Structures are given as C-alpha cells and as structure tokens.
Amino acid sequence: MARHTAPRCPPPSCRSRGAGGVATALLVALAVPFSAPAAGRDEPEPPTATATADPAVLCAVSYGGTVRTIAVAPDTDPYTAEAVGIDERFRFKAVVRGRAPRIETVKVYVYLETPRQPVLLHEARYLPPFSRAPLPGGFTGEHTVIAPPLERQLHYACRLP
C-alpha cells in the first residue's frame, strides 16, 4: 500500500524526528546538482533514466541509505519510458510529456519487484504550473512509498533543473 505525504516541515523541526536523516539526504540531493565522481575513484555513477545533457526533471530517489539522482528527458510515448531498478527491490519511472518551458504533465510510478512481475505501488500526476522555488522536495514534495511485507521504504522528490 502506498502512502502519500505532503511536503515535510522545514529542516530545523525535522531534526527532532527519527526520519530526519532521510529528509536531510533528500534535501541535500535536491540542493546540490549531481556531479560525477572524482577521477581515479572507482565509485559507480548513480543510474539515470536517460543520458541527456538537458533533462526536463531531476528526481532524488533514496532507498537503503543511498540517494540516486535520476535525470528524466521529455518522452513522447510514456509506454516506452524505462523504469530504473532500485537495488532489485523497486523500479522508479518518471514520464515527462512536453518540452521545457511548456511541460504538459509529469507522471511518477513506483513498482515493487516481485518474482512474477513488477507490482505498481504508487502513481502520481503533476500538472503545470511547476514551482521553481527552492522548496524542500521540489515541485512534487517528498514522498514515501512503503512496500509490503517487510515495510521497505523508498523516498523520492522531483524538481526542475
């Protein structure tokens, strides 16, 4: 069962909660543009939904203490958009219709990986106008998706570049 949460409180009040570390990690991922690892380091680059120099949307996805930045380019066919695997537990897919500055809609899907097939846990649709204000959680707010039976949690927030 998916749970939708509204944008969370400002960082000073979040520090008193137990989940403040995740909220802080998402805020940092949204505030700092993704950059490749320094030369000579063997760290893998986080997966991206598309390899584009000009993404329409950037999503910070957190699971298991790791935050990934997924760059999403506009797509004319939402059925061919690729879902990004998250630690073999979830799949995250964002679909952007239209091109900046006239983005028509942004849809976000989160699936649970199961032995038989992916199961849709969460679907959200966002319509313009999209906020460019430097808010925690970008224009989507911060979402938490909880997957049964072990209550695994995936967190995401998307913003315009």
Side-chain angles (χ1 to χ4, degrees), residues 2-90:
R3 183 175 76 183
H4 168 76
T5 58
R8 294 187 181 173
C9 58
S13 59
C14 287
R15 291 186 193 127
S16 63
R17 295 189 303 181
V22 172
T24 303
L26 282 172
L27 288 174
V28 169
L30 288 170
V32 178
F34 175 75
S35 60
R41 294 176 68 185
D42 291 331
E43 295 178 16
E45 188 173 310
T48 57
T50 56
T52 178
D54 210 12
V57 172
L58 297 173
C59 296
V61 180
S62 173
Y63 174 70
T66 302
V67 179
R68 295 174 173 92
T69 301
I70 299 173
V72 184
D75 199 340
T76 57
D77 185 4
Y79 298 105
T80 60
E82 298 265 342
V84 177
I86 308 291
D87 290 346
E88 299 178 1
R89 303 278 188 214
F90 293 96

Side-chain angles (χ1 to χ4, degrees), residues 102-154:
R102 294 184 161 269
I103 295 176
E104 298 168 18
T105 184
V106 176
K107 291 185 179 180
V108 177
Y109 305 89
V110 178
Y111 301 89
L112 174 67
E113 289 281 4
T114 65
R116 188 170 177 185
Q117 67 188 24
V119 176
L120 180 65
L121 294 177
H122 175 80
E123 177 182 12
R125 181 177 73 160
Y126 303 95
L127 300 170
F130 300 105
S131 174
R132 288 190 175 272
L135 300 172
F139 68 85
T140 63
E142 296 174 3
H143 289 260
T144 301
V145 180
I146 300 174
L150 300 177
E151 297 186 8
R152 295 184 172 106
Q153 295 185 15
L154 177 132

